[in-house]
Amino acid sequence: MSEHSPHSGSAEAALAAKIKLLEAELASLKQQQQQMTDRDTRHQYAMEATNDGLWDWHIPSGKIYFNHSYLRMLGYDYGDLPADLYTLREYFVHPDDVDDVLTEYQTALDNRRESVQLQYRLLHRDGNSIWVHAKAKFFEPDSQGRATRCVGINSDISDFIKAREDLLGAKAQADLANKTKSEFLARVSHEIRTPMNAIIGIGYLLHDTPLDEQQQSYLTSINSAADSLLQIINQLLDFSKIEAGRVILEYAHFDIEQLFEKISRLFEISALHRTVNIVYDIKPDVPRFLRGDASRLSQILGHLISNAFQYSHTDQVIVRVAKTRQTHKTLLLDFTVEDKGVGMSPKQLATIKEQLVFNKNLISTDKNTYGLSICSHLVHLMQGSFAIESSPNKGCKVSFSVMLEHSHLGEKTLLSQPRCLNNIRVLIVDDNTIARTILASTARSIRLQVDEEDNALGAIERIRHADQCGNPYHFVLLDYRMPSMNGLQLTGLIKSDCHLQQKPWVFLISAYHRDEISSADPNALLVDEFLSKPVSESRLFDAIGQTIAQVQSLQDISPPMTSDGDNRALLEHTRILIAEDNLVNQQVLRGILKKKNIASVIAANGIEALQILDTTEQPFDAILMDLEMPEMDGIEATRQIRAGAVGGKYPAAQIPIIAVTAQAMRGDRERCLAAGMDGYLSKPVNPELLYTTLADILRAQAVTNDHTPR
């Protein structure tokens, strides 16, 4: 029988249970250790497999752990370099970025920031740069709250940076291309519009010359063709303007009835042998005078009407205009261009609508949708909408709306003859019977009292006799080329005749320019006015009227026929300085101004304009300033005028300046206004728009002067 204590069995059991528990705990610890080992292994594998560079910076000691990917990214391996801040600064970070990087980290530490993100360059062992995006977080703050450890990850973004640089480079090239294209457009516009201005302007002046029915028909065709060509030029430039966002709208007063009349004449002439009929349905509440871009509105209507005739195979198009709503300042007009032709299929209509909605038609090669896209874009610029309806064999209806402004012009019309000329006596002297008879007929058509003489000696005797009888001639119209005594010699006799109580005003008629005659004979200084052949009714009327406007005794015998309260009254007797280098454009502008009895002086460039302003003995009411001129352009001349660079007898710093330019690009108007100009007109110059612009600016100037403290 055993000698053991009865408690020995229980003790062994307890020990065995304890050992078993320890074994279980040991197994659990081994399992946890294995899990931690596996986790560390996975983490190590992940760190080795990733392309991102991981790093752990012990800030107090400056030691930095770089994972294998970090080193591999830069072409290094473990043991190649010490793992510390010195290596980072001297080998890893690009020398151009190292100061900024370390400063950023130091600032983050000083400001107790939790994290920081940077983009900078690392330096590969072979010398190439690598762009990285670094994300770092600060840990283990000391007693003062300052971090003692920083852990981060660097992601290689070199491809992204290169793509961004390529994109920026491509954008810079595209911007340069757009700028070059815009400059090319401005140059093309200028080069095309300059001769177009001459064609249209000379045609406008030629209209006032004596023409037979056939010549008048030819001139009308030339003018309409020139207008049509100008519209084509504008359409050719429109696409590039739209693409570059350079379409700029005009805001000028216009007569909508005249707009439709011009459209009708254009289609009558362009139709040639084809009969076309445009029916206008303009509602009674649509104002005749409006303010907006008449040229763009005409372009839209012209294109839609042209499309209707071309694609509908019908000879009649209906144009309807109605007012839908208005405020005290603006009104919305609805326009409809409708035909009863072949129409379009649903598929064709859907394609056009889709192209208009998504603007795909801007790259369409179809001429019709290309033009419609321009029309649609212009309509939206005018704060309107654009819609198309069509059915097979039922025709097509295009509707659009535009926002316009009310015009203050009302229903006033320009007066054709402000003064009664029945009491004005004129002697016409010309040895050519046919020329003298035509000129006499022209003079009588404006109600002048006319006598004729075929030689200089007979003329001087007739002038003396009339003066002695107390019924003197007020004007003598002399031909320059006459036998035995030319017009200049006769002018000298008339002006030097001491027996004449009242000397007449002498107008010399010649095919030569004034400058050519003036340089040949000093008697040219005695001539009161030069008239170029052939002398038209309007040109003669303007010359006579301008002289009457300056002489009180002539005004007393030629009273106004009606009240002159419109723009003509405001423009008469004004004096305009024209700064223009092109000789034909000078002639056109001078002729247009002369029709309103506006005196003008020519400057060929900005320097001449400043000199004329500095030495003038009479003040100028306004300046028409071309932008592109040699020696000094219009912008610089305007800046100097506004800066007070012009002295002289009359201050010019506040004189109204209107840009008259062949350029028509977006930004030109703003550039002119920024330089100090008061208005902007594009070539070819529209005479009525020029008159209106001048009158509006002069009227505003008068109001300003009236309210300026003296």
Side-chain angles (χ1 to χ4, degrees):
M1 185 175 176
S2 174
E3 300 271 334
H4 289 292
S5 165
H7 299 288
S8 61
S10 60
E12 290 177 356
L15 180 61
K18 196 169 186 179
I19 292 173
K20 188 175 182 178
L21 180 61
L22 289 174
E23 289 176 345
E25 290 180 354
L26 181 60
S28 176
L29 288 174
K30 287 182 178 181
Q31 184 179 5
Q32 292 178 10
Q33 185 178 12
Q34 185 62 43
Q35 289 176 348
M36 293 179 65
T37 301
D38 292 343
R39 184 183 63 187
D40 290 343
T41 301
R42 285 194 299 270
H43 179 66
Q44 184 67 29
Y45 287 164
M47 290 180 66
E48 298 300 327
T50 183
N51 290 325
D52 294 333
L54 305 178
W55 49 273
D56 186 350
W57 175 24
H58 186 256
I59 297 173
S61 66
K63 297 295 183 181
I64 304 178
Y65 165 76
F66 303 104
N67 78 331
H68 189 262
S69 295
Y70 191 112
L71 298 173
R72 186 174 63 240
M73 181 189 303
L74 302 182
Y76 294 97
D77 204 345
Y78 289 119
D80 288 348
L81 292 169
D84 55 21
L85 188 61
Y86 177 84
T87 296
L88 179 73
R89 182 175 60 248
E90 298 297 330
Y91 291 93
F92 289 172
V93 180
H94 194 284
D96 292 341
D97 296 347
V98 64
D99 291 338
D100 292 337
V101 171
L102 294 179
T103 299
E104 186 67 27
Y105 280 116
Q106 189 63 47
T107 301
L109 281 170
D110 295 340
N111 293 332
R112 308 299 194 266
R113 288 165 56 184
E114 294 183 355
S115 62
V116 66
Q117 294 191 37
L118 297 174
Q119 288 185 3
Y120 56 90
R121 288 168 294 176
L122 296 178
L123 198 62
H124 194 276
R125 194 169 192 171
D126 61 11
N128 292 323
S129 297
I130 300 173
W131 276 96
V132 296
H133 180 79
K135 298 179 181 178
K137 195 172 181 66
F138 296 98
F139 298 98
E140 301 177 8
D142 57 17
S143 58
Q144 298 179 351
R146 183 184 178 88
T148 61
R149 186 177 180 184
C150 181
V151 179
I153 180 172
N154 289 357
S155 300
D156 188 346
I157 59 171
S158 298
D159 292 340
F160 168 77
I161 294 295
K162 184 178 184 302
R164 185 178 68 177
E165 290 177 349
D166 291 343
L167 182 61
L168 292 175
K171 182 179 182 301
Q173 290 181 349
D175 290 341
L176 179 61
N178 282 333
K179 181 181 179 181
T180 302
K181 181 172 63 176
S182 298
E183 292 174 350
F184 172 74
L185 280 174
R187 174 54 55 189
V188 168
S189 176
H190 182 274
E191 296 300 332
I192 293 178
R193 286 171 179 271
T194 296
M196 283 300 298
N197 181 59
I199 295 172
I200 294 176
I202 295 299
Y204 177 81
L205 299 176
L206 185 61
H207 182 75
D208 295 331
T209 62
L211 302 171
D212 59 30
E213 185 175 351
Q214 187 178 29
Q215 291 170 330
Q216 187 65 47
S217 175
Y218 289 160
L219 179 59
T220 302
S221 299
I222 291 174
N223 289 338
S224 297
D227 288 336
S228 179
L229 178 59
L230 183 60
Q231 289 188 10
I232 292 173
I233 293 170
N234 288 335
Q235 289 176 357
L236 288 174
L237 297 175
D238 274 341
F239 175 70
S240 295
K241 289 182 182 179
I242 290 172
E243 188 181 42
R246 293 180 174 270
V247 176
I248 183 167
L249 297 178
E250 298 285 345
Y251 286 93
H253 304 279
F254 69 94
D255 184 339
I256 197 169
E257 292 183 7
Q258 289 184 0
L259 183 145
F260 285 129
E261 288 175 5
K262 290 180 180 179
I263 291 176
S264 298
R265 287 198 299 271
L266 175 64
F267 279 94
E268 287 174 1
I269 293 170
S270 62
L272 295 177
H273 302 295
R274 179 184 174 187
T275 301
V276 296
N277 182 26
I278 304 176
V279 179
Y280 294 101
D281 179 15
I282 305 176
K283 300 304 179 184
D285 61 344
V286 175
R288 176 180 174 183
F289 296 94
L290 299 162
R291 188 169 182 264
D293 196 327
S295 175
R296 293 299 186 182
L297 182 57
S298 177
Q299 178 182 344
I300 296 168
L301 288 167
H303 182 81
L304 296 181
I305 294 172
S306 177
N307 274 3
F309 281 128
Q310 183 174 358
Y311 297 104
S312 68
H313 305 295
T314 182
D315 293 333
Q316 178 171 287
V317 171
I318 303 171
V319 179
R320 295 187 171 90
V321 188
K323 182 177 69 176
T324 56
R325 68 173 186 269
Q326 70 175 0
T327 65
H328 71 284
K329 184 178 180 181
T330 63
L331 70 160
L332 187 70
L333 293 186
D334 282 346
F335 293 82
T336 303
V337 179
E338 184 177 0
D339 65 76
K340 300 298 181 182
V342 297
M344 290 185 288
S345 67
K347 183 178 180 180
Q348 290 174 317
L349 182 61
T351 300
I352 290 178
K353 285 185 175 180
E354 180 182 2
Q355 290 174 332
L356 290 176
V357 169
F358 294 102
N359 216 24
K360 295 178 182 177
N361 47 348
L362 288 179
I363 58 174
S364 173
T365 58
D366 185 273
K367 181 174 65 176
N368 185 23
T369 53
Y370 174 82
L372 287 176
S373 72
I374 294 178
C375 292
S376 176
H377 185 86
L378 293 175
V379 165
H380 285 91
L381 284 180
M382 300 170 80
Q383 304 178 50
S385 58
F386 192 89
I388 304 177
E389 300 176 19
S390 184
S391 300
N393 302 318
K394 292 186 178 179
C396 181
K397 182 170 73 173
V398 181
S399 303
F400 68 93
S401 59
V402 296
M403 187 71 71
L404 300 169
E405 296 181 4
H406 296 285
S407 172
H408 63 73
L409 295 180
E411 296 292 331
K412 294 182 180 179
T413 57
L414 295 177
L415 301 176
S416 60
Q417 186 170 332
R419 290 189 176 274
C420 178
L421 303 180
N422 298 59
N423 299 323
I424 301 297
R425 300 193 70 227
V426 175
L427 176 63
I428 297 176
V429 186
D430 195 329
D431 64 299
N432 187 303
T433 304
I434 296 176
R436 188 177 68 249
T437 302
I438 292 174
L439 183 57
S441 176
T442 301
R444 291 188 180 100
S445 69
I446 58 175
R447 304 297 188 269
L448 293 169
Q449 295 183 31
V450 180
D451 289 327
E452 302 175 43
E453 187 61 57
D454 63 359
N455 65 87
L457 295 178
I460 193 67
E461 291 300 326
R462 188 185 284 259
I463 293 170
R464 289 170 179 169
H465 179 71
D467 185 71
Q468 291 170 2
C469 294
N471 192 23
Y473 289 106
H474 304 105
F475 294 91
V476 177
L477 308 184
L478 303 177
D479 183 47
Y480 175 49
R481 293 288 190 183
M482 291 188 295
S484 69
M485 184 182 296
N486 65 31
L488 287 178
Q489 292 170 328
L490 180 54
T491 300
L493 287 179
I494 294 172
K495 294 296 185 179
S496 63
D497 193 331
C498 58
H499 300 293
L500 294 178
Q501 298 295 321
Q502 180 176 328
K503 292 183 176 64
W505 279 263
V506 177
F507 289 3
L508 190 69
I509 301 171
S510 171
Y512 293 93
H513 293 294
R514 179 179 191 139
D515 293 341
E516 295 174 317
I517 298 175
S518 299
S519 61
D521 195 318
N523 283 327
L525 299 175
L526 303 176
V527 176
D528 296 293
E529 184 64 61
F530 287 79
L531 294 177
S532 299
K533 291 182 178 180
V535 178
S536 68
E537 178 182 310
S538 62
R539 191 171 296 172
L540 177 60
F541 178 82
D542 287 342
I544 297 283
Q546 184 175 5
T547 303
I548 292 175
Q550 298 173 353
V551 181
Q552 185 61 47
S553 61
L554 295 180
Q555 294 178 27
D556 294 339
I557 61 174
S558 55
M561 296 181 65
T562 56
S563 176
D564 200 9
D566 58 359
N567 286 349
R568 177 184 287 273
L570 185 63
L571 295 177
E572 275 188 342
H573 322 315
T574 55
R575 191 164 181 259
I576 305 298
L577 174 61
I578 301 173
E580 167 66 63
D581 63 305
N582 186 281
L583 295 178
V584 177
N585 289 337
Q586 291 175 3
Q587 182 182 0
V588 169
L589 287 173
R590 172 167 272 179
I592 292 173
L593 294 176
K594 196 172 182 181
K595 287 177 64 66
K596 297 297 181 185
N597 296 333
I598 301 174
S600 59
V601 176
I602 300 294
N605 55 60
I607 293 177
E608 284 190 17
L610 297 179
Q611 291 173 346
I612 291 173
L613 290 172
D614 196 46
T615 59
T616 182
E617 293 297 324
Q618 292 179 276
F620 289 99
D621 297 287
I623 302 174
L624 299 180
M625 184 78 74
D626 185 30
L627 291 192
E628 294 195 0
M629 295 183 292
E631 298 188 45
M632 180 185 290
D633 61 29
I635 295 292
E636 180 58 29
T638 300
R639 290 197 183 104
Q640 293 202 23
I641 291 171
R642 293 295 184 240
V646 176
K649 186 175 180 180
Y650 300 97
Q654 301 302 321
I655 188 172
I657 302 176
I658 301 170
V660 183
T661 176
Q663 299 186 32
M665 300 297 291
R666 185 180 183 89
D668 290 336
R669 179 187 296 272
E670 290 77 7
R671 192 160 59 98
C672 294
L673 298 179
M677 294 185 178
D678 302 275
Y680 180 96
L681 294 172
S682 61
K683 297 175 183 175
V685 174
N686 180 303
E688 295 303 323
L689 181 58
L690 172 59
Y691 300 146
T692 302
T693 303
L694 268 175
D696 288 346
I697 289 177
L698 292 176
R699 188 178 292 111
Q701 182 81 355
V703 172
T704 301
N705 292 340
D706 289 343
H707 290 82
T708 301
R710 291 173 172 81

Tab-separated table of all heavy atoms in Angstrom, residues 170-188 240 243-246 663 665-666 668 671:
chain	number	residue	atom	x	y	z
A	170	ALA	N	0.837	71.955	-75.766
A	170	ALA	CA	-0.132	71.911	-76.861
A	170	ALA	C	-1.102	73.076	-76.771
A	170	ALA	O	-1.479	73.669	-77.791
A	170	ALA	CB	-0.883	70.580	-76.831
A	171	LYS	N	-1.510	73.401	-75.529
A	171	LYS	CA	-2.417	74.531	-75.353
A	171	LYS	C	-1.742	75.839	-75.765
A	171	LYS	O	-2.355	76.698	-76.407
A	171	LYS	CB	-2.873	74.629	-73.899
A	171	LYS	CG	-3.866	75.758	-73.634
A	171	LYS	CD	-4.290	75.768	-72.179
A	171	LYS	CE	-5.316	76.881	-71.939
A	171	LYS	NZ	-4.828	78.215	-72.276
A	172	ALA	N	-0.469	75.969	-75.393
A	172	ALA	CA	0.258	77.187	-75.784
A	172	ALA	C	0.364	77.279	-77.300
A	172	ALA	O	0.194	78.356	-77.887
A	172	ALA	CB	1.653	77.180	-75.153
A	173	GLN	N	0.620	76.133	-77.945
A	173	GLN	CA	0.682	76.131	-79.403
A	173	GLN	C	-0.675	76.465	-80.010
A	173	GLN	O	-0.768	77.199	-80.997
A	173	GLN	CB	1.168	74.777	-79.909
A	173	GLN	CG	2.636	74.499	-79.600
A	173	GLN	CD	3.089	73.156	-80.144
A	173	GLN	OE1	2.274	72.339	-80.567
A	173	GLN	NE2	4.393	72.923	-80.120
A	174	ALA	N	-1.741	75.899	-79.392
A	174	ALA	CA	-3.085	76.185	-79.891
A	174	ALA	C	-3.429	77.658	-79.702
A	174	ALA	O	-4.023	78.288	-80.591
A	174	ALA	CB	-4.108	75.300	-79.175
A	175	ASP	N	-3.047	78.203	-78.524
A	175	ASP	CA	-3.305	79.637	-78.287
A	175	ASP	C	-2.540	80.487	-79.292
A	175	ASP	O	-3.059	81.486	-79.802
A	175	ASP	CB	-2.892	80.011	-76.861
A	175	ASP	CG	-3.809	79.403	-75.820
A	175	ASP	OD1	-4.934	79.012	-76.188
A	175	ASP	OD2	-3.405	79.315	-74.648
A	176	LEU	N	-1.292	80.084	-79.564
A	176	LEU	CA	-0.500	80.821	-80.546
A	176	LEU	C	-1.123	80.713	-81.929
A	176	LEU	O	-1.179	81.702	-82.679
A	176	LEU	CB	0.933	80.287	-80.564
A	176	LEU	CG	1.889	80.950	-81.575
A	176	LEU	CD1	2.027	82.435	-81.280
A	176	LEU	CD2	3.252	80.265	-81.540
A	177	ALA	N	-1.620	79.496	-82.245
A	177	ALA	CA	-2.272	79.312	-83.544
A	177	ALA	C	-3.531	80.162	-83.644
A	177	ALA	O	-3.803	80.782	-84.683
A	177	ALA	CB	-2.600	77.839	-83.754
A	178	ASN	N	-4.321	80.189	-82.549
A	178	ASN	CA	-5.527	81.016	-82.554
A	178	ASN	C	-5.182	82.494	-82.682
A	178	ASN	O	-5.867	83.247	-83.384
A	178	ASN	CB	-6.333	80.775	-81.275
A	178	ASN	CG	-7.133	79.492	-81.328
A	178	ASN	OD1	-7.497	79.034	-82.410
A	178	ASN	ND2	-7.381	78.899	-80.181
A	179	LYS	N	-4.117	82.905	-81.969
A	179	LYS	CA	-3.699	84.301	-82.062
A	179	LYS	C	-3.245	84.631	-83.475
A	179	LYS	O	-3.604	85.676	-84.034
A	179	LYS	CB	-2.564	84.564	-81.070
A	179	LYS	CG	-2.074	86.006	-81.082
A	179	LYS	CD	-0.935	86.208	-80.091
A	179	LYS	CE	-0.436	87.645	-80.137
A	179	LYS	NZ	0.698	87.866	-79.207
A	180	THR	N	-2.459	83.709	-84.063
A	180	THR	CA	-1.996	83.922	-85.438
A	180	THR	C	-3.172	83.980	-86.395
A	180	THR	O	-3.227	84.820	-87.296
A	180	THR	CB	-1.039	82.790	-85.840
A	180	THR	OG1	0.053	82.744	-84.922
A	180	THR	CG2	-0.505	83.019	-87.252
A	181	LYS	N	-4.136	83.065	-86.174
A	181	LYS	CA	-5.316	83.044	-87.038
A	181	LYS	C	-6.121	84.319	-86.875
A	181	LYS	O	-6.609	84.890	-87.863
A	181	LYS	CB	-6.182	81.822	-86.711
A	181	LYS	CG	-7.416	81.701	-87.583
A	181	LYS	CD	-8.117	80.384	-87.354
A	181	LYS	CE	-8.620	80.243	-85.951
A	181	LYS	NZ	-9.378	79.000	-85.742
A	182	SER	N	-6.248	84.782	-85.636
A	182	SER	CA	-6.993	86.018	-85.402
A	182	SER	C	-6.310	87.208	-86.061
A	182	SER	O	-6.966	88.065	-86.660
A	182	SER	CB	-7.138	86.258	-83.897
A	182	SER	OG	-7.858	85.210	-83.291
A	183	GLU	N	-4.971	87.246	-85.920
A	183	GLU	CA	-4.234	88.331	-86.569
A	183	GLU	C	-4.358	88.237	-88.084
A	183	GLU	O	-4.473	89.255	-88.779
A	183	GLU	CB	-2.766	88.283	-86.145
A	183	GLU	CG	-2.539	88.623	-84.667
A	183	GLU	CD	-1.104	88.434	-84.252
A	183	GLU	OE1	-0.318	87.867	-85.056
A	183	GLU	OE2	-0.746	88.819	-83.120
A	184	PHE	N	-4.338	86.993	-88.596
A	184	PHE	CA	-4.516	86.810	-90.035
A	184	PHE	C	-5.905	87.271	-90.470
A	184	PHE	O	-6.057	87.932	-91.496
A	184	PHE	CB	-4.311	85.340	-90.384
A	184	PHE	CG	-4.649	85.001	-91.820
A	184	PHE	CD1	-3.811	85.373	-92.852
A	184	PHE	CD2	-5.818	84.323	-92.121
A	184	PHE	CE1	-4.125	85.073	-94.169
A	184	PHE	CE2	-6.144	84.019	-93.428
A	184	PHE	CZ	-5.296	84.392	-94.459
A	185	LEU	N	-6.921	86.929	-89.658
A	185	LEU	CA	-8.282	87.367	-89.976
A	185	LEU	C	-8.382	88.885	-89.983
A	185	LEU	O	-9.020	89.477	-90.857
A	185	LEU	CB	-9.269	86.789	-88.954
A	185	LEU	CG	-9.689	85.341	-89.157
A	185	LEU	CD1	-10.541	84.878	-87.987
A	185	LEU	CD2	-10.443	85.174	-90.456
A	186	ALA	N	-7.749	89.512	-88.989
A	186	ALA	CA	-7.790	90.972	-88.939
A	186	ALA	C	-7.112	91.568	-90.170
A	186	ALA	O	-7.599	92.543	-90.756
A	186	ALA	CB	-7.104	91.470	-87.662
A	187	ARG	N	-5.989	90.964	-90.572
A	187	ARG	CA	-5.282	91.478	-91.740
A	187	ARG	C	-6.086	91.240	-93.010
A	187	ARG	O	-6.201	92.132	-93.867
A	187	ARG	CB	-3.914	90.793	-91.833
A	187	ARG	CG	-3.112	91.128	-93.079
A	187	ARG	CD	-2.928	92.616	-93.269
A	187	ARG	NE	-2.325	93.244	-92.106
A	187	ARG	CZ	-2.213	94.544	-91.945
A	187	ARG	NH1	-2.705	95.365	-92.860
A	187	ARG	NH2	-1.648	95.044	-90.860
A	188	VAL	N	-6.656	90.030	-93.136
A	188	VAL	CA	-7.483	89.744	-94.309
A	188	VAL	C	-8.672	90.690	-94.359
A	188	VAL	O	-9.024	91.245	-95.403
A	188	VAL	CB	-7.953	88.276	-94.285
A	188	VAL	CG1	-9.043	88.044	-95.320
A	188	VAL	CG2	-6.788	87.341	-94.552
A	240	SER	N	-14.670	81.515	-88.527
A	240	SER	CA	-13.469	81.653	-87.697
A	240	SER	C	-13.721	82.588	-86.523
A	240	SER	O	-13.211	82.380	-85.431
A	240	SER	CB	-12.298	82.157	-88.541
A	240	SER	OG	-11.939	81.202	-89.510
A	243	GLU	N	-15.695	80.560	-83.988
A	243	GLU	CA	-14.819	79.581	-83.359
A	243	GLU	C	-13.911	80.235	-82.328
A	243	GLU	O	-13.630	79.664	-81.272
A	243	GLU	CB	-13.994	78.885	-84.435
A	243	GLU	CG	-13.170	77.709	-83.924
A	243	GLU	CD	-12.356	77.076	-85.033
A	243	GLU	OE1	-11.784	77.826	-85.840
A	243	GLU	OE2	-12.295	75.845	-85.088
A	244	ALA	N	-13.458	81.441	-82.624
A	244	ALA	CA	-12.551	82.150	-81.711
A	244	ALA	C	-13.290	83.027	-80.716
A	244	ALA	O	-12.673	83.687	-79.886
A	244	ALA	CB	-11.572	83.008	-82.518
A	245	GLY	N	-14.636	83.040	-80.768
A	245	GLY	CA	-15.416	83.887	-79.863
A	245	GLY	C	-15.225	85.353	-80.111
A	245	GLY	O	-15.229	86.164	-79.189
A	246	ARG	N	-15.060	85.728	-81.392
A	246	ARG	CA	-14.730	87.113	-81.719
A	246	ARG	C	-15.832	87.828	-82.490
A	246	ARG	O	-15.567	88.824	-83.150
A	246	ARG	CB	-13.419	87.162	-82.516
A	246	ARG	CG	-12.211	86.744	-81.688
A	246	ARG	CD	-10.937	86.796	-82.505
A	246	ARG	NE	-9.769	86.527	-81.679
A	246	ARG	CZ	-9.076	87.456	-81.039
A	246	ARG	NH1	-9.435	88.709	-81.130
A	246	ARG	NH2	-8.031	87.136	-80.314
A	663	GLN	N	-10.733	97.031	-89.800
A	663	GLN	CA	-10.727	95.884	-88.905
A	663	GLN	C	-12.133	95.666	-88.356
A	663	GLN	O	-12.901	96.580	-88.186
A	663	GLN	CB	-9.753	96.088	-87.746
A	663	GLN	CG	-8.321	96.274	-88.216
A	663	GLN	CD	-7.360	96.337	-87.058
A	663	GLN	OE1	-7.569	95.707	-86.036
A	663	GLN	NE2	-6.291	97.078	-87.232
A	665	MET	N	-12.735	92.846	-85.829
A	665	MET	CA	-12.572	91.723	-84.936
A	665	MET	C	-12.995	92.090	-83.525
A	665	MET	O	-13.000	93.249	-83.133
A	665	MET	CB	-11.106	91.271	-84.909
A	665	MET	CG	-10.585	90.847	-86.275
A	665	MET	SD	-11.443	89.426	-86.943
A	665	MET	CE	-10.881	88.164	-85.824
A	666	ARG	N	-13.340	91.033	-82.795
A	666	ARG	CA	-13.717	91.247	-81.408
A	666	ARG	C	-12.530	91.817	-80.635
A	666	ARG	O	-11.407	91.359	-80.750
A	666	ARG	CB	-14.141	89.919	-80.788
A	666	ARG	CG	-14.670	90.061	-79.366
A	666	ARG	CD	-15.075	88.703	-78.830
A	666	ARG	NE	-15.634	88.823	-77.511
A	666	ARG	CZ	-16.910	89.026	-77.248
A	666	ARG	NH1	-17.754	89.130	-78.240
A	666	ARG	NH2	-17.367	89.113	-76.027
A	668	ASP	N	-11.483	94.955	-81.011
A	668	ASP	CA	-11.096	96.218	-81.641
A	668	ASP	C	-11.841	97.388	-81.030
A	668	ASP	O	-11.273	98.437	-80.739
A	668	ASP	CB	-11.360	96.157	-83.148
A	668	ASP	CG	-10.411	95.206	-83.862
A	668	ASP	OD1	-9.319	94.978	-83.321
A	668	ASP	OD2	-10.769	94.697	-84.929
A	671	ARG	N	-10.540	98.102	-77.612
A	671	ARG	CA	-9.222	98.720	-77.698
A	671	ARG	C	-9.340	100.196	-78.048
A	671	ARG	O	-8.619	101.046	-77.493
A	671	ARG	CB	-8.394	97.976	-78.757
A	671	ARG	CG	-6.913	98.303	-78.762
A	671	ARG	CD	-6.125	97.194	-79.460
A	671	ARG	NE	-6.573	97.007	-80.828
A	671	ARG	CZ	-5.965	97.532	-81.883
A	671	ARG	NH1	-4.886	98.276	-81.712
A	671	ARG	NH2	-6.404	97.302	-83.095
